[in-house]
Amino acid sequence: MIFVTGGAGFIGSNFVLDWLAQSDEPVLNLDKLTYAGNLDNLSSIKDDPRHIFVQGDIGDFELVRRLLAEHQPRAVLNFAAESHVDRSIHGPEDFIQTNVVGTFHLLEAVRAYWVGLEGDAKSDFRLLHVSTDEVYGSLEKTDPPFNENNRYEPNSPYSASKAASDHLVRAYHHTYGLPVLTTNCSNNYGPYHFPEKLIPLVIHNALQGKPLPIYGDGQQIRDWLYVKDHCTAIRRVLAAGQLGETYNVGGWNEKPNIEVVNTICTILDELKPRADGVSFNAQITYVKDRPGHDRRYAIDATRLEKELDWKPAETFESGIRKTVQWYLDNPAWVENITSGQYRQWVEKQYQ
Ligand code: NAD
Ligand code: DAU
């Protein structure tokens, strides 16, 4: 059994679905079901006995301790976090609470569990912490991409809280010998992405005839990775990563935001043209920039490729087309999220 946290969110749910599609090893899934947690993402495994879902907080030491004792997982994978940079600017407190304090309590519960293991169960145990490239700060146009030796220079409350959690994970290895692995991935996109983030927001707004908001000059660069490629990288690091090490994950797909939005518009023009024949890019609207907006992220994934023999399956062109198609094929999922309907279901189910 593996123990996943945050498995009802975007990347966590993709990971759980992928895991169960490839393996019979059960998954215990602990998720607080914040606004970003959506059980609709997991509806295809609703009745699968290999998936055990528990609503709860990674910061609840007693709950995590009990779940570990009861299920005896061989690994814990920590996806749970507050993840949206704009929300961290408006209200940083939840980010500190979950990403820093929550990770600390999770580490304490995992350490207590691991100390009590014996033999192979102890030596085989792993805690894999899922982190982000944003901890490295912002690159100039001509800088080389981030590698694992770059200094941490986080610029937003979100990235600072993730950096703090990475440092705690590192310290628990260094001080207590806890067998940890950390991954720092670039921007993900794909199915089940909450439509507050750039790519799903643009697809949704385009289809609704709404403005496509571009912050500042739209020349900020992100390095995009299809979410299923992130999932294969995490599986690879879990299987073969060196304890205490960090692995950068990315697919060498740097794109300015305006180019990403134009690409989405072109694909939509082809797959679902506007009734008036005008391109969706007519809806592009430049808006006020994000405060402290990082200019460029880029990941050097050489270590993961060379040491662990990992390669992404998708190019940006193939992944973005699949993504747009997925949103076109799943209007009910989008409608449920944007109407808030999914929350009512959660409230009814877990009251
Ligand atoms: P998300 O916001 O879509 O999902 C987060 C999930 O965590 C939600 O299901 C939420 O309910 C749950 N959660 C939040 N607080 C919790 C708590 N206290 N206890 C238990 N569950 C809690 O995020 P995501 O985009 O899927 O990101 C997952 C992880 O990957 C995060 O750690 C994020 O920092 C990291 N990451 C994300 C990206 C990206 O592009 N989205 C890239 C690199 C790394
Ligand atoms: O780099 C990894 C990170 O990628 C993850 O750690 C975060 O959890 C994830 O949210 C993401 O952060 P970003 O801030 O890069 O993603 P977002 O989709 O919010 O924005 C992508 C870029 O698009 C960024 O430069 C801001 C810009 N943007 C975003 C929105 C929502 C716009 O121009 N307009 C928008 O409406």
Side-chain angles (χ1 to χ4, degrees), residues 82-86 131-134 158 162 185-188 193 196-202 212-216 218 220-224 257 261 287 290 293-295 297:
E82 288 293 337
S83 71
H84 192 37
V85 174
D86 292 322
S131 192
T132 171
D133 60 359
E134 298 202 13
Y158 163 67
K162 289 297 290 185
C185 189
S186 62
N187 284 63
N188 284 213
H193 205 180
E196 64 184 353
K197 309 275 167 68
L198 180 70
I199 288 182
L201 179 90
V202 163
L212 312 181
I214 307 280
Y215 297 164
Q220 304 82 6
I221 290 172
R222 296 293 181 266
D223 189 351
W224 294 96
N257 292 338
V261 174
V287 300
R290 170 186 281 173
H293 199 169
D294 285 337
R295 198 69 186 161
Y297 304 141

Side-chain angles (χ1 to χ4, degrees), residues 10-11 20 49 56 103 120 133 162 172 181 215 247 254 258 264 273 284:
F10 164 47
I11 303 173
L20 291 176
T103 303
D120 286 352
D133 60 359
K162 289 297 290 185
Y172 271 62
L181 298 156
Y215 297 164
Y247 294 87
E254 286 184 60
I258 188 66
I264 294 170
I284 287 175

Side-chain angles (χ1 to χ4, degrees), residues 121-295:
K122 185 163 192 175
S123 51
D124 292 349
F125 182 79
R126 301 283 181 271
L127 168 73
L128 190 150
H129 177 62
V130 179
S131 192
T132 171
D133 60 359
E134 298 202 13
V135 296
Y136 297 120
S138 184
L139 292 167
E140 299 294 335
K141 227 181 181 136
T142 52
D143 287 340
F146 301 124
N147 65 41
E148 290 80 359
N149 298 319
N150 272 74
R151 288 175 42 171
Y152 272 32
E153 288 183 347
N155 289 321
S156 72
Y158 163 67
S159 54
S161 68
K162 289 297 290 185
S165 69
D166 293 9
H167 289 323
L168 283 170
V169 169
R170 178 190 149 87
Y172 271 62
H173 176 70
H174 193 82
T175 306
Y176 305 113
L178 193 69
V180 305
L181 298 156
T182 298
T183 54
N184 293 90
C185 189
S186 62
N187 284 63
N188 284 213
Y189 66 100
Y192 306 115
H193 205 180
F194 196 89
E196 64 184 353
K197 309 275 167 68
L198 180 70
I199 288 182
L201 179 90
V202 163
I203 299 172
H204 175 67
N205 280 14
L207 295 170
Q208 295 291 308
K210 291 184 181 163
L212 312 181
I214 307 280
Y215 297 164
D217 63 4
Q219 293 301 327
Q220 304 82 6
I221 290 172
R222 296 293 181 266
D223 189 351
W224 294 96
L225 185 70
Y226 191 63
V227 62
K228 289 193 193 317
D229 284 326
H230 188 186
C231 296
T232 64
I234 290 171
R235 282 207 302 276
R236 196 64 207 122
V237 173
L238 180 65
Q242 276 194 45
L243 294 186
E245 290 300 338
T246 69
Y247 294 87
N248 281 0
V249 187
W252 309 94
N253 281 312
E254 286 184 60
K255 307 270 176 213
N257 292 338
I258 188 66
E259 191 181 318
V260 170
V261 174
N262 273 319
T263 301
I264 294 170
C265 291
T266 306
I267 297 173
L268 281 173
D269 288 342
E270 179 196 325
L271 298 180
K272 203 170 182 0
R274 274 176 35 158
D276 60 6
V278 173
S279 169
F280 284 100
N281 65 23
Q283 291 166 228
I284 287 175
T285 309
Y286 287 86
V287 300
K288 198 162 132 294
D289 208 353
R290 170 186 281 173
H293 199 169
D294 285 337
R295 198 69 186 161

Side-chain angles (χ1 to χ4, degrees), residues 39-76:
L39 288 175
D40 277 356
N41 300 0
L42 300 166
S43 60
S44 63
I45 52 168
K46 194 162 46 78
D47 302 317
D48 190 326
R50 297 171 303 162
H51 178 234
I52 302 166
F53 182 80
V54 177
Q55 184 177 15
D57 195 321
I58 56 165
D60 183 342
F61 174 88
E62 195 41 43
L63 171 66
V64 178
R65 191 202 61 74
R66 186 166 54 70
L67 290 172
L68 288 166
E70 198 177 312
H71 296 279
Q72 300 280 309
R74 70 167 174 98
V76 174

